[in-house]
Amino acid sequence: MSSSRPVLFAAIASAVAALAGCHRAPETKPPVAAAPAWTLDEGQLIQPIRFLASDVDPAKNACVDLATYANSKWLAANPIPADQTRWGGFNVLRERSLQVQKQLAEQIAAKAELTGIEKIIGDLWATGMDEAKLNAEGIAPLKDRLGEIEALKDGPGVATYLRAVAARGENPLFGFGPQPDFKDSSIQMAAASQGGTGLPDKTYYFDARYKPIREAYVKHIAKVLELSGIPAASAAVEAKQVMAFETRLAKASKSEEELSRDVSLYYNPVTPADADKLAPNFPWTAFFESQKVALPAKFSLSMPDFHREVSRMLTDVPAAGWKSYLRYHLVDDASPYLSEEFVAERFEFYNKTLNGQKEQRARWKRVLAHIEGAAGEAMGQIYVQVAFPPESRARMETLVGNLREALKGRIENLTWMSDATKAKALEKWSAFNTKIGYPSKWRDWNGLVTSRQSYLDNIFAADAFNYRYELDKIGKPVDKTEWHMTPQTVNAYYDPQQNEIVFPAAILQPPFFDPKADDALNYGAIGAVIGHELTHGYDDQGARFGPSGNFEEWWTPEDKKKFEALTGKLVKQYSGYEPIPGEKVNGNLTLGENIADLGGLNIAYDAMQRATKDQPDPKVDGLTRDQRFFLGYAAAWRDQVRPEALRVQLASDPHSPGAIRANGTPSNVPAFAAAFSCKAGEPMANAAEKQVVIW
């Protein structure tokens, strides 16, 4: 619910990683119950998308637009559902994952006597689905917390309040939690980050293009304040004050582009005494004491300008301005767990106005999203009992092994890199770890107390429990068995500080991974995803971390210059794509993901060539093996997006839009042009001087 939930790993991962020989051994086989207590009705689930030869539109030209050639027929036949802002392979699998979780939650909640993780899930589901009770309660569940804000008198009182709410996991202003030390990634250090704003990126507060969004946001703030009990006229005035408050925070913050392209911004080690000097009105020694965290010799005060500005605002923003800001964020953050009028208002701005969503998602989907935030791994422990066949794990291990060998071969054969840097790159390659499906050790949920009495109280309890769970890691060794995505998440990631690639169970289905499909499709889809995550270890930010996950310089200066020249060509290529008239892809913001896509596809193609060496081409449905490889890749990025959501993505997401991912990468791969007999000058066959090859 709140920004004080651990966000630092996610932030760093998004800056360098997130999707989608001898080496450290894969995890041991995870423990799964042999006879699950819960059942799954496959007939009630949406079916994953599989690539079919009939999906290809013969009226289109793969050499002009592979995405349209491979996906336009399916997209035309499958419009975006009203409760979605985008629709494609990822979304279908996410819908399927939710449907699995719904069946499980309903079965669990129907049991009268439950303990452990089943009780937690059952309580969250039952209270979340009791819409009549939530509507009858209105804002009453927030009465005590609103009273705390109303009692604030001055800046020191606000600082005391901020420390108190942070201690229960409800900090609206900044993130705080553990982060592996950049200089010693085996140890968790305390780290603080920026936060406190309600729009997707700081550019939304200043860019003229977003003036209508700013105006709509002010109206939203006013409506939320009015729903909280402030008279309409006063709420309108206070909303403008809140907007001015957030604009000031935004001015002192880093943009998503800056954060994505400079991971060092997340590491600013300081002593608590020096932090007190930087932010005298919000002393960090007092903050550590209030969080019951031992005062460290140093911690990372990321984005120090932000924290310096917060300190200033504690003296020059009147208590009334702080109260309006805190009241708004308390109520807005809690809105999903309150009565219908609060839910509807939040949907109206964030989903409809900002992202173009036509209809609210069904309550059960929203409740499952809340369970994911509150107790996601608990749900995952049950999810894998019914939704992840062991054979998927075995085949993935084989694929990963082949992709690793292909990456090694590409590093060894690079012509632009010196032997000295290659040796370091191969040292990092040898240290890669892989996690597939679900954790080898499940998290302990003892101590989280939930009930069938109050939905919001259950959420608050989970906030406090999860925050304490994270704080207790500070100063301790990193748990290398821990996952940062749940098994039911349709995604994948690379963790630069642990040098590991992770593939949750839910993504290991078509169109990404199909145990029944031929090698060409699997290497083109999940193979490219595996390669993508491996390449994140060598993208413009991942390459700043060494084999053990420490932040270090392992490049020669000459090689670094050559690398930057190549990545500059990729920035230029993607900055030329214009998915919305007048709005182009930000090649700098998306650079890391574009590097990973390019490396991933090349690695996957090499791995397929190795796996099928000396085997005759089966030519399935009239398509050659290479054609099916590239069509499998394009189908994995089958995606259509509402214009509003696409604008948000272009402004704040380090991933390029799906159609551009499907086209941009293959256009740099000569094997694609050969597979489809593309002629020189066609859009999907970049001329040799324009082709980008990095890894």
Side-chain angles (χ1 to χ4, degrees), residues 206-267:
F206 308 107
D207 195 310
R209 291 177 299 167
Y210 304 122
K211 183 180 179 182
I213 296 295
R214 290 194 291 273
E215 292 172 347
Y217 185 46
V218 171
K219 291 179 180 178
H220 168 67
I221 296 170
K223 183 63 177 178
V224 170
L225 290 172
E226 186 179 347
L227 288 170
S228 77
I230 303 295
S234 298
V237 173
E238 290 186 35
K240 293 178 181 177
Q241 296 171 348
V242 172
M243 185 62 176
F245 188 106
E246 289 194 17
T247 301
R248 188 168 169 180
L249 290 178
K251 188 175 182 179
S253 300
K254 297 296 183 182
S255 69
E256 289 298 319
E257 179 179 348
E258 292 172 306
L259 294 172
S260 295
R261 301 280 56 84
D262 187 1
V263 70
S264 69
L265 292 172
Y266 291 100
Y267 189 64

Side-chain angles (χ1 to χ4, degrees), residues 156-457:
V158 171
T160 299
Y161 169 84
L162 289 171
R163 289 191 289 268
V165 297
R168 62 194 188 205
E170 299 169 28
N171 187 351
L173 202 54
F174 58 85
F176 181 77
Q179 170 184 296
D181 191 323
F182 274 36
K183 297 301 182 181
D184 181 3
S185 62
S186 67
I187 297 295
Q188 298 274 19
M189 72 184 304
S193 64
Q194 67 184 36
T197 55
L199 294 176
D201 182 59
K202 71 174 293 181
T203 55
Y204 275 77
Y205 290 87
F206 308 107
D207 195 310
R209 291 177 299 167
Y210 304 122
K211 183 180 179 182
I213 296 295
R214 290 194 291 273
E215 292 172 347
Y217 185 46
V218 171
K219 291 179 180 178
H220 168 67
I221 296 170
K223 183 63 177 178
V224 170
L225 290 172
E226 186 179 347
L227 288 170
S228 77
I230 303 295
S234 298
V237 173
E238 290 186 35
K240 293 178 181 177
Q241 296 171 348
V242 172
M243 185 62 176
F245 188 106
E246 289 194 17
T247 301
R248 188 168 169 180
L249 290 178
K251 188 175 182 179
S253 300
K254 297 296 183 182
S255 69
E256 289 298 319
E257 179 179 348
E258 292 172 306
L259 294 172
S260 295
R261 301 280 56 84
D262 187 1
V263 70
S264 69
L265 292 172
Y266 291 100
Y267 189 64
N268 180 46
V270 298
T271 66
D274 285 342
D276 286 353
K277 293 176 184 177
L278 180 143
N281 301 311
F282 191 80
W284 283 90
T285 49
F287 183 79
F288 276 95
E289 182 180 0
S290 69
Q291 308 307 292
K292 294 183 172 56
V293 174
L295 195 66
K298 64 177 181 178
F299 75 104
S300 180
L301 189 65
S302 305
M303 287 66 80
D305 288 346
F306 172 86
H307 299 283
R308 186 181 288 111
E309 186 67 4
V310 168
S311 178
R312 293 187 185 121
M313 293 171 74
L314 283 166
T315 61
D316 57 29
V317 174
W322 274 97
K323 287 161 67 172
S324 297
Y325 169 81
L326 293 169
R327 185 182 187 96
Y328 161 67
H329 278 286
L330 170 67
V331 178
D332 195 54
D333 288 351
S335 289
Y337 320 105
L338 297 174
S339 55
E340 182 56 34
E341 62 264 38
F342 292 93
V343 173
E345 175 54 36
R346 187 172 175 86
F347 167 80
E348 188 67 25
F349 176 71
Y350 281 106
N351 299 81
K352 190 174 182 180
T353 299
L354 195 57
N355 285 289
Q357 187 173 325
K358 303 302 182 186
E359 293 179 4
Q360 178 70 277
R361 290 190 301 166
R363 170 165 285 277
W364 66 267
K365 295 181 183 180
R366 289 178 274 138
V367 172
L368 287 173
H370 304 158
I371 292 175
E372 175 73 13
E377 190 172 305
M379 173 64 84
Q381 188 171 346
I382 300 169
Y383 172 91
V384 298
Q385 295 177 21
V386 300
F388 187 61
E391 58 267 24
S392 292
R393 184 185 183 88
R395 183 133 182 225
M396 271 293 290
E397 287 174 346
T398 299
L399 283 165
V400 171
N402 290 342
L403 266 293
R404 289 187 78 258
E405 289 302 314
L407 172 59
K408 181 184 181 184
R410 293 191 73 85
I411 293 172
E412 291 172 336
N413 292 312
L414 288 175
T415 58
W416 59 269
M417 181 177 279
S418 69
D419 289 342
T421 305
K422 277 185 185 180
K424 291 291 187 180
L426 289 169
E427 183 183 350
K428 184 169 186 176
W429 170 88
S430 70
F432 268 122
N433 188 33
T434 304
K435 295 177 178 176
I436 299 170
Y438 45 91
S440 61
K441 181 179 71 177
W442 294 109
R443 177 181 166 183
D444 185 354
W445 292 90
N446 286 328
L448 175 53
V449 179
T450 58
S451 73
R452 297 288 173 104
Q453 300 304 310
S454 169
Y455 191 34
L456 189 60
D457 283 352

Side-chain angles (χ1 to χ4, degrees), residues 11-18 254-266 536 538-544 551 563-564 567 571 586-596 652-656:
I12 294 170
S14 69
V16 298
K254 297 296 183 182
S255 69
E256 289 298 319
E257 179 179 348
E258 292 172 306
L259 294 172
S260 295
R261 301 280 56 84
D262 187 1
V263 70
S264 69
L265 292 172
Y266 291 100
H536 268 311
Y538 304 96
D539 72 18
D540 66 314
Q541 299 303 310
R544 302 174 74 179
F551 194 64
F563 178 68
E564 290 172 349
T567 61
V571 169
N586 184 334
N588 285 308
L589 172 63
T590 59
L591 177 59
E593 297 300 328
N594 297 334
I595 293 171
S652 60
D653 193 331
H655 300 83
S656 296

Side-chain angles (χ1 to χ4, degrees), residues 523-606:
Y523 277 97
I526 197 65
V529 172
I530 296 168
H532 173 105
E533 301 305 340
L534 287 168
T535 305
H536 268 311
Y538 304 96
D539 72 18
D540 66 314
Q541 299 303 310
R544 302 174 74 179
F545 294 84
S548 64
N550 291 339
F551 194 64
E552 60 188 79
E553 184 61 78
W554 51 271
W555 296 68
T556 67
E558 295 78 12
D559 287 339
K560 190 172 183 179
K561 288 180 182 178
K562 293 176 182 177
F563 178 68
E564 290 172 349
L566 292 171
T567 61
K569 291 176 67 176
L570 207 60
V571 169
K572 182 177 180 181
Q573 175 186 341
Y574 278 82
S575 295
Y577 293 120
E578 191 171 341
I580 296 177
E583 297 192 41
K584 295 184 177 181
V585 172
N586 184 334
N588 285 308
L589 172 63
T590 59
L591 177 59
E593 297 300 328
N594 297 334
I595 293 171
D597 279 349
L598 179 58
L601 188 63
N602 277 316
I603 293 165
Y605 182 77
D606 286 0

Side-chain angles (χ1 to χ4, degrees), residues 28 51 215 229 288 362 394 442 447 472 616 647-648 659 686:
T28 56
F51 171 77
E215 292 172 347
F288 276 95
W442 294 109
D472 287 346
R647 289 188 177 92
V648 173
N686 284 350

